[in-house]
Amino acid sequence: MFFEVPTGVVTLDMASAPVLPGSVTLTAATVTDGAPVLPTSVSYAASIYPLFAARGCVACHTGGGAGKDLGGVFLDGGAHLADRGLVEERPGTRVNLGSPEASFVLTLPSREDPPDRHPNITFASPSDPDDVKLLVWIREGALDH
């Protein structure tokens, strides 16, 4: 990937697309001055639960998926049940309200060196738009709304 942008703090706004080995992905990006504006009032039902399906999390973390045995997290059964499993079953771990950046829902599926026990990289960087939504949702109290 190559970007030619001015020096300083800038935001790149571009569609996210998977990058596969042996392939070329073309995209257009808009460069603006300053840091990105964080979302506010992030809705679990409208923004967070749907990203689990879009990123393949629900397919793995179901009654028969590998995530059932690896982390004990179940995301099937609807948004409300998945929220309870993330927020209430293991308080302070999967979702850590006291230290949102340390929440397993953010750290385990992210790129890390050395790699952790999560079998894939769901969020390539902390600037991934879905990773940002998750972080803001946790900072706002991880509400089930």
Side-chain angles (χ1 to χ4, degrees):
M1 199 179 292
F2 175 76
F3 296 104
E4 186 174 335
V5 296
T7 58
V9 177
V10 297
T11 300
L12 293 175
D13 183 24
M14 57 190 227
S16 59
V19 177
L20 304 172
S23 67
V24 174
T25 302
L26 300 176
T27 187
T30 303
V31 179
T32 55
D33 286 329
V37 176
L38 295 178
T40 58
S41 302
V42 176
S43 165
Y44 176 77
S47 297
I48 300 304
Y49 188 69
L51 81 82
F52 293 140
R55 294 291 182 119
C57 307
V58 174
C60 183
H61 290 278
T62 63
K68 173 188 81 127
D69 296 327
L70 293 173
V73 177
F74 297 93
L75 296 175
D76 55 349
H80 180 69
L81 287 176
D83 177 72
R84 284 184 42 214
L86 290 170
V87 179
E88 296 175 18
E89 280 183 13
R90 294 187 185 167
T93 57
R94 293 175 181 156
V95 170
N96 185 336
L97 297 175
S99 182
E101 291 80 2
S103 298
F104 281 3
V105 72
L106 289 170
T107 62
L108 288 177
S110 297
R111 178 180 304 278
E112 296 170 327
D113 188 27
D116 58 33
R117 66 184 187 270
H118 197 267
N120 67 355
I121 298 169
T122 308
F123 306 113
S125 79
S127 63
D128 180 296
D130 288 340
D131 189 87
V132 171
K133 282 183 208 171
L134 268 169
L135 178 60
V136 170
W137 172 69
I138 296 167
R139 285 179 178 169
E140 293 178 338
L143 302 176
D144 183 9
H145 64 283

